[in-house]
Amino acid sequence: MISIKRGKVTKIIKKLEGRTDILVNIDNKDENAINYDYLTGCIAVGDEVILNTTAVELNLGTGGYHFVICNLNVSNQSIDTKGHIMKLRYTPFQLKTYAVEEQESPYHKLFHEFKSLNDMPVLVGTLHSMLVPISSTLKYLNNNIKIAFIMTDGAALPLYLSNAIYELKEKNIIYKTITLGHAFGGDYEVVNIYNALIAAKEIAKCDIAIVTMGPGIVGTGTPYGFTGVEQGHIADAVNDLGGISITVPRITFKDERERHYGFSHHSLTVLSKIMKTRSNIALPNFSLEHETIIMKQIKENNLMQKHNIFKIEKNILEQALDQYGLEVKSMGRDLKNDPEFFATCSAAAIYAVSLLNNQ
């Protein structure tokens, strides 16, 4: 079930590509809302709207935003003739996209001719908050590098929800974006992870790719009940296509939940039980106490036998963030409050650049 309310737009807060942040008066109170322009049309002050208020009422992690279901002042909206691949299929919001691999696409032939990723490094993360530390480190180490960001449909479906993407593209850190499955809004739309990887290599002509879900992650506290299990399948796909998979573990010593202490149980499950192929894991320096915990988890889950594990001695994340004027945050914690999480992301990027330098 969803919670629905009616309101009136009182202010346009911010207008971005594909998204407008607004204030809506609901029951004589102004509240934040997001309008996805390609779903519900352009929006203006005074428009009457129908809102999905479910997430805010449940206090979920959407930043306190409602979402516009319908703008009652938009009576008709037309679509262009290109493309026929539907996303959000068989829902009231199903939308037509122009997927790069469909028959009418000028890129269709490339997918038939594809042979290999030719050792292209692909960093596979889980949380969307990994994107900024990984991409800023990559760009800091090699300003000429072309980075593709591939967003899965494991969490938020509209790329437009990600404030990080707007900033990373504006600062020329991310070169191209690709959205797969039911996720939408990328520079290129694709059907699945295999064609997303091919598109990053053959269409976007990128040197390296980062794959994560969008903002948000679903977890249930059960061994396999989290959307991050996709990380294992994605790393396997990278290896299947002749790329070099770099799996970025979720490591923190600031989460109060025991199952996320050190290696998160999400990462341990993926690395020890989900993945069927061998991947590369880069780890930063930890304190002696934390190193003992990490090594114990590695041993107990036989990760040394299953994967290639490398130690990265240097930590240049703070310099990279300073150079680009960026900040990082994950689960409400910043670099100062969760240094191990972000250092692990940056270590993976340092290792990826070393692979490029050796090619």
Side-chain angles (χ1 to χ4, degrees):
M1 296 181 65
I2 63 175
S3 175
I4 296 174
K5 289 186 178 177
R6 184 169 181 154
K8 187 173 185 177
V9 180
T10 59
K11 183 179 180 180
I12 303 296
I13 300 173
K14 181 169 57 178
K15 190 165 183 64
L16 301 165
E17 172 63 30
R19 167 184 144 193
T20 305
D21 294 0
I22 57 177
L23 276 183
V24 181
N25 188 271
I26 306 170
D27 299 329
N28 296 317
K29 181 183 177 184
D30 281 350
E31 301 189 29
N32 292 308
I34 288 176
N35 182 72
Y36 292 124
D37 301 346
Y38 297 127
L39 288 181
T40 46
C42 294
I43 200 160
V45 171
D47 286 353
E48 297 279 345
V49 293
I50 305 297
L51 300 159
N52 183 329
T53 60
T54 311
V56 174
E57 292 181 19
L58 292 176
N59 196 31
L60 299 179
T62 57
Y65 284 92
H66 303 307
F67 295 93
V68 175
I69 296 174
C70 175
N71 184 343
L72 297 175
N73 293 78
V74 177
S75 55
N76 293 291
Q77 188 167 299
S78 300
I79 58 175
D80 60 45
T81 57
K82 290 184 177 180
H84 71 276
I85 299 300
M86 303 293 283
K87 298 198 177 190
L88 311 186
R89 291 185 285 275
Y90 304 104
T91 74
F93 282 106
Q94 62 180 347
L95 70 154
K96 177 194 68 67
T97 63
Y98 191 18
V100 291
E101 66 264 57
E102 59 184 279
Q103 288 88 341
E104 294 79 14
S105 167
Y107 304 114
H108 180 73
K109 188 178 179 182
L110 289 175
F111 293 91
H112 287 288
E113 296 173 343
F114 172 79
K115 300 297 183 184
S116 172
L117 292 176
N118 291 323
D119 290 337
M120 181 176 78
V122 180
L123 296 113
V124 186
T126 50
L127 300 179
H128 193 68
S129 53
M130 293 177 167
L131 178 60
V132 171
I134 291 172
S135 61
S136 60
T137 300
L138 292 173
K139 200 71 172 175
Y140 178 78
L141 292 172
N142 184 345
N143 188 53
N144 296 318
I145 198 171
K146 287 186 176 180
I147 305 170
F149 171 58
I150 299 172
M151 192 178 100
T152 74
D153 57 8
L157 300 182
L159 184 79
Y160 312 117
L161 185 65
S162 171
N163 292 323
I165 285 296
Y166 289 109
E167 188 171 19
L168 292 170
K169 290 204 75 176
E170 180 184 355
K171 295 183 176 183
N172 297 315
I173 296 173
I174 295 296
Y175 178 62
K176 293 293 182 182
T177 58
I178 302 168
T179 39
L180 66 89
H182 288 284
F184 62 93
D187 295 313
Y188 304 111
E189 304 282 0
V190 296
V191 171
N192 60 37
I193 184 59
Y194 290 90
N195 280 355
L197 294 165
I198 295 171
K201 176 73 172 178
E202 302 295 343
I203 300 176
K205 303 294 185 183
C206 286
D207 305 299
I208 202 161
I210 305 167
V211 189
T212 74
M213 62 183 71
I217 185 172
V218 173
T220 64
T222 58
Y224 299 99
F226 59 100
T227 50
V229 293
E230 67 175 20
Q231 185 184 33
H233 306 310
I234 293 166
D236 285 341
V238 173
N239 293 336
D240 289 343
L241 293 181
I244 299 176
S245 68
I246 303 164
T247 303
V248 187
R250 178 179 174 181
I251 292 178
T252 178
F253 294 95
K254 301 299 182 181
D255 200 305
E256 294 179 357
R257 297 166 293 181
E258 185 179 351
R259 66 181 184 273
H260 291 304
Y261 195 79
F263 271 94
S264 165
H265 82 99
H266 288 181
S267 295
L268 293 176
T269 297
V270 166
L271 293 168
S272 64
K273 298 176 181 177
I274 302 295
M275 289 186 63
K276 306 305 178 190
T277 58
R278 195 174 188 88
S279 190
N280 301 286
I281 304 166
L283 298 177
N285 279 326
F286 298 108
S287 68
L288 181 60
E289 176 188 356
H290 292 161
E291 182 78 15
T292 301
I293 294 169
I294 290 296
M295 293 310 298
K296 182 172 183 288
Q297 290 177 308
I298 288 173
K299 184 177 180 181
E300 288 176 347
N301 291 273
N302 296 316
L303 297 190
M304 283 287 192
Q305 288 71 42
K306 296 174 181 290
H307 304 287
N308 306 317
I309 300 178
F310 302 92
K311 198 72 173 177
I312 304 298
E313 297 298 331
K314 60 182 178 178
N315 185 345
I316 49 90
L317 179 57
E318 193 168 351
Q319 297 97 298
L321 296 174
D322 286 345
Q323 175 160 315
Y324 296 107
L326 293 168
E327 295 181 353
V328 289
K329 185 166 284 189
S330 183
M331 302 294 178
R333 298 184 291 270
D334 60 15
L335 181 60
K336 181 180 179 180
N337 294 318
D338 201 353
E340 293 84 7
F341 173 84
F342 298 108
T344 302
C345 298
S346 185
I350 293 171
Y351 174 70
V353 171
S354 74
L355 294 177
L356 286 177
N357 293 339
N358 292 330
Q359 286 182 357

